[in-house]
Amino acid sequence: MQKFVIQGGRRLEGDIVVQGAKNSALPILAAAFLCKGESVLENCPKLSDVYAACRILSSVGCRCEMQGHTVIVRAEPSGKAAIPESLMQEMRSSIIFLGAMLGRLGTCTLGYPGGCELGPRPIDLHLEALRRMGVQIREENGILMCTTPRGLHGARVHLQFPSVGATENILLAAVLAKGDTIISNAAREPEILDLARYLQHCGAKIEGAGSSTIRVQGVKQLTGCTYRIMPDRIVTATWLACAAITGGALQLLHTDAASLEGILDVLEQMNCQCSRDVSSLCINAGKPLKAVRYLKTMPYPGFPTDAQAIVMAVLCKAGGTSVIEETIFENRFRHVDALVRMGADIHVAGRVAVVHGVKQLCGAQVSATDLRGGAALLTAGLGAEGETVLTEISHIDRGYDSPETVLRSVGAKIERR
Ligand code: UD1
């Protein structure tokens, strides 16, 4: 098992080119299944979740090849429309292949995704919407068998919550369905817009992606194209947090500053100086960090749940008291125990965490419990005095493309062992 060994307390300084977005690459890889011919997906991060998505595509007869950061998918479905249980278990996001398989093949069998480290992960909104589009769903021993006896058709779908995954699944099913689909209260995350843009390049008719109402006019066929995956805004947030906790100064290149306003606003409240250009961001964190009175995770454009743990790590060293409320996932404070081991003063009551800033964090032996919680401990380790040994880093490899190389290039002392 691999671990990171970090010597903390080094100020980070320099330039980082931000990787492509995992949460965009995964649905776009699923979308490639809908297309005839070849899709060339550039700026794909090298991550275990991306490899798992490629294995799913291969398991249903597609050719999927990774050359550097480009993934080439030739979707030639073998007619097999079942996602192996082992791959479902490996990556919860594999549920995103449901809409794509129904769109291309009209049928799909897959394991029920079940819970994960963040708490229960229901898919009721996905299934309810697909039913409205003509999908019949039978569940037996945790296996979902989905068919479309009278074909897939467009529908009006109102989401009770703007679920990212449900919006993506409906979009994937709708582009090749007969007739029009209107999704109201759709998720507005930038990754939805990226998915829609890729589909539009392939010939799909979609309006309103990125807003709460998305209109899709089903077409007969999609054709693969060359597309560049958007930059990862949560990875950008992580590097900003690493600069903040080390009192550093970083320039982040190839990023999408507009999608980071919620995070930049919080960093500015913390006394960091941030400047943005269209595709780059600078942070200067020379001044003492200040607490943030109240921070609440919300669907986009609110403060992202995926950045909550990472920003909490920085707030541990910010003067004053910060209150963080997690509204999206039930179990997203699992990093708190490890931060406390590193000297943080945090109290959790239900979905609220109260962070009293301390002067110094100290290195410790800690374990990642989930992807972003792991990134929070990495951030804390860089800002702590002494050595941090971070284990269970396979969680981090799900979302960060060689983070130790990136961090070393800006002055961090971190080794993978
Ligand atoms: C996606 C992101 C994840 C991010 C999350 C919220 C990917 C691969 N993952 O996850 O990194 O943290 O958005 O921004 O893009 N819910 C239901 N029923 C459903 C679907 C969701 O109750 O059918 C609930 C979930 O339990 C959760 C909330 O809605 O409490 C948000 O989930 P959702 O937006 O669907 O997140 P994901 O798409 O799973």
Side-chain angles (χ1 to χ4, degrees):
M1 225 155 10
Q2 296 189 334
K3 59 188 174 189
F4 285 137
V5 180
I6 306 161
Q7 309 298 333
R10 297 187 160 227
R11 182 173 178 271
L12 302 191
E13 193 169 4
D15 295 352
I16 293 178
V17 175
V18 176
Q19 70 180 63
K22 167 181 89 76
N23 288 355
S24 185
L26 298 179
I28 290 178
L29 281 164
F33 186 73
L34 288 165
C35 302
K36 288 211 154 64
E38 203 169 78
S39 283
V40 178
L41 305 176
E42 298 169 349
N43 203 29
C44 252
K46 292 185 177 180
L47 305 171
S48 50
D49 271 10
V50 167
Y51 302 145
C54 290
R55 280 201 294 279
I56 291 177
L57 285 168
S58 305
S59 77
V60 288
C62 301
R63 276 214 340 250
C64 195
E65 199 188 317
M66 192 153 194
Q67 293 175 0
H69 285 96
T70 299
V71 177
I72 302 160
V73 182
R74 182 167 271 278
E76 293 158 347
S78 55
K80 200 166 112 194
I83 301 179
E85 183 59 19
S86 55
L87 290 174
M88 277 306 290
Q89 294 304 327
E90 208 174 305
M91 182 179 68
R92 199 205 104 94
S93 318
S94 41
I95 190 67
I96 213 62
F97 281 83
L98 175 57
M101 287 205 184
L102 288 169
R104 182 93 192 247
L105 304 172
T107 158
C108 180
T109 300
L110 77 179
Y112 201 89
C116 77
E117 58 271 13
L118 305 181
R121 298 287 290 257
I123 51 164
D124 53 318
L125 300 173
H126 304 232
L127 301 185
E128 194 39 49
L130 293 171
R131 280 196 187 97
R132 290 178 80 94
M133 298 175 75
V135 181
Q136 279 189 8
I137 302 165
R138 210 153 48 88
E139 190 188 332
E140 252 173 50
N141 305 323
I143 303 290
L144 290 167
M145 282 160 283
C146 306
T147 52
T148 50
R150 269 176 249 116
L152 197 62
H153 56 75
R156 258 179 191 278
V157 178
H158 178 80
L159 291 173
Q160 289 303 330
F161 179 86
S163 153
V164 175
T167 304
E168 290 167 347
N169 246 336
I170 301 163
L171 204 50
L172 290 168
V175 284
L176 287 181
K178 197 159 182 272
D180 296 354
T181 298
I182 298 175
I183 315 171
S184 52
N185 200 26
R188 293 183 284 163
E189 267 67 3
E191 293 77 14
I192 306 270
L193 186 56
D194 208 34
L195 169 64
R197 284 202 178 125
Y198 163 74
L199 287 165
Q200 283 166 334
H201 274 79
C202 299
K205 294 205 165 135
I206 304 168
E207 273 174 31
S211 77
S212 302
T213 306
I214 305 180
R215 290 186 168 76
V216 184
Q217 201 183 325
V219 295
K220 288 237 152 48
Q221 184 180 306
L222 297 176
T223 310
C225 69
T226 297
Y227 190 78
R228 191 171 175 82
I229 307 285
M230 67 175 276
D232 196 308
R233 63 196 168 98
I234 305 302
V235 171
T236 308
T238 309
W239 304 149
L240 290 170
C242 291
I245 203 165
T246 61
L250 289 179
Q251 177 170 223
L252 303 174
L253 304 167
H254 295 194
T255 189
D256 173 25
S259 64
L260 280 137
E261 274 311 323
I263 292 161
L264 292 171
D265 176 61
V266 169
L267 286 163
E268 283 170 341
Q269 287 181 49
M270 291 167 75
N271 220 9
C272 298
Q273 250 180 24
C274 303
S275 61
R276 43 294 232 177
D277 216 327
V278 186
S279 66
S280 69
L281 274 174
C282 288
I283 180 165
N284 197 326
K287 298 185 194 149
L289 295 171
K290 290 199 290 202
V292 174
R293 270 183 49 208
Y294 178 59
L295 186 57
K296 180 178 178 177
T297 62
M298 295 285 279
Y300 190 84
F303 186 83
T305 174
D306 283 352
Q308 177 259 109
I310 297 151
V311 167
M312 185 191 287
V314 186
L315 288 171
C316 291
K317 273 182 69 179
T321 299
S322 306
V323 176
I324 303 176
E325 184 180 353
E326 170 60 53
T327 73
I328 309 291
F329 289 107
E330 271 178 33
N331 198 11
R332 213 161 196 185
F333 285 142
R334 293 181 70 205
H335 48 280
V336 167
D337 285 353
L339 288 174
V340 169
R341 274 173 69 112
M342 296 176 77
D345 181 353
I346 308 171
H347 297 271
V348 174
R351 288 187 168 216
V352 174
V354 179
V355 184
H356 299 290
V358 294
K359 284 242 151 42
Q360 200 47 265
L361 293 173
C362 47
Q365 171 128 14
V366 286
S367 281
T369 53
D370 58 87
L371 165 58
R372 305 302 171 189
L377 300 183
L378 183 60
T379 306
L382 293 170
E385 268 185 1
E387 183 174 277
T388 293
V389 178
L390 176 53
T391 59
E392 305 290 341
I393 60 172
S394 57
H395 289 292
I396 299 175
D397 291 330
R398 284 185 44 227
Y400 294 82
D401 186 341
S402 202
E404 70 280 21
T405 313
V406 173
L407 289 167
R408 270 201 300 265
S409 76
V410 289
K413 204 159 178 221
I414 171 170
E415 251 183 68
R416 183 187 288 262
R417 284 195 200 147

